[in-house]
Amino acid sequence: MMAPSREEVTLGMHDLDLDAGPVWDRFFLVAPLVIIGTTEPDGASDLAPKHLAMPMGWDGYFGFVCTPRHATYRNALRTEEFTVSYPRPEQVVFTSMAATPRDESQKPSLRALPTEPATDVKGVLLSDAYVHLECRLDRVVEGFGENGLVVGTVVAARVHPDALRDLEQDDQELVAGAPLLAYLPPGRYGIIERSATFPFHAGFER
């Protein structure tokens, strides 16, 4: 049997020009939205939103993609630690404020954000976020264009009681009661309030 031609495979699909800018700007994806906390050389705290961020495998590693042009990247490499806050949907404005431009190396808007100190690393976390992680730098993987993957080992983790899974509570009730904030790059966000059990095939193992 002959393999299908490219025309047959792409029938009905729209080809994207790989030289016309990032393909990721031509459609929407679902991504997490977190706030990474680092410490500036003068000791001030810095917070910045990231959506290319996720657990690295099933063990205690967490990573985010960033560029050396950003203070978040440089701070994480210099101090070898960072924090992670998962904001709630009602904190989307706070998340946006963390992305404001710097004014003489500072972000004035950060003074308006409610924060609390980390316990095991130096830095702050967004107050009332539903998950807090504190990480120490494990490695940096460079070479993704101008970007690098910053990976840390989780040394402390906390979850808000209303977001903590409990065997006595239905998972959908938990999601409905504590909705999740998702980023839809480029430039939109969504609120996840409904979920369903995934139909795993019998015998599936992660």
Side-chain angles (χ1 to χ4, degrees):
M1 179 181 296
M2 294 181 61
S5 67
R6 184 175 187 277
E7 289 74 18
E8 292 173 321
V9 171
T10 62
L11 182 65
M13 299 292 284
H14 183 90
D15 280 324
L16 298 177
D17 183 354
L18 301 183
D19 297 320
V23 297
W24 320 112
D25 289 345
R26 303 300 305 278
F27 49 85
F28 289 109
L29 294 171
V30 179
L33 186 58
V34 303
I35 295 180
I36 302 294
T38 56
T39 302
E40 297 280 8
D42 64 1
S45 296
D46 181 64
L47 296 172
K50 303 292 179 186
H51 73 277
L52 297 177
M54 62 182 292
M56 298 284 103
W58 299 108
D59 295 315
Y61 298 96
F62 186 93
F64 65 92
V65 174
C66 195
T67 168
R69 293 187 291 102
H70 291 175
T72 302
Y73 184 101
R74 300 191 302 271
N75 289 340
L77 268 63
R78 177 178 46 80
T79 65
E80 298 189 343
E81 54 191 14
F82 59 89
T83 67
V84 185
S85 302
Y86 278 81
R88 299 173 183 271
E90 58 267 29
Q91 295 178 310
V92 67
V93 173
F94 289 156
T95 307
S96 175
M97 290 170 64
T100 55
R102 294 177 176 275
D103 179 9
E104 296 181 357
S105 79
Q106 298 295 322
K107 291 184 181 180
S109 60
L110 293 185
R111 291 192 288 269
L113 299 185
T115 61
E116 57 192 72
T119 59
D120 288 57
V121 303
K122 186 176 181 180
V124 299
L125 299 125
L126 181 67
S127 295
D128 203 39
Y130 72 94
V131 170
H132 284 166
L133 303 176
E134 300 180 25
C135 302
R136 290 202 174 93
L137 186 66
D138 178 80
R139 74 194 75 175
V140 176
V141 183
E142 299 179 334
F144 302 103
E146 69 167 352
N147 297 290
L149 173 63
V150 180
V151 181
T153 301
V154 177
V155 296
R158 289 174 292 280
V159 60
H160 196 280
D162 66 9
L164 179 64
R165 294 186 68 200
D166 188 329
L167 293 177
E168 297 182 0
Q169 182 181 17
D170 179 74
D171 283 343
Q172 166 52 29
E173 292 180 0
L174 181 68
V175 173
L180 307 177
L181 176 63
Y183 186 64
L184 308 178
R188 299 187 68 82
Y189 75 93
I191 300 174
I192 301 175
E193 300 177 285
R194 295 181 58 83
S195 67
T197 301
F198 190 84
F200 288 110
H201 191 278
F204 170 84
E205 295 182 4
R206 70 183 187 188

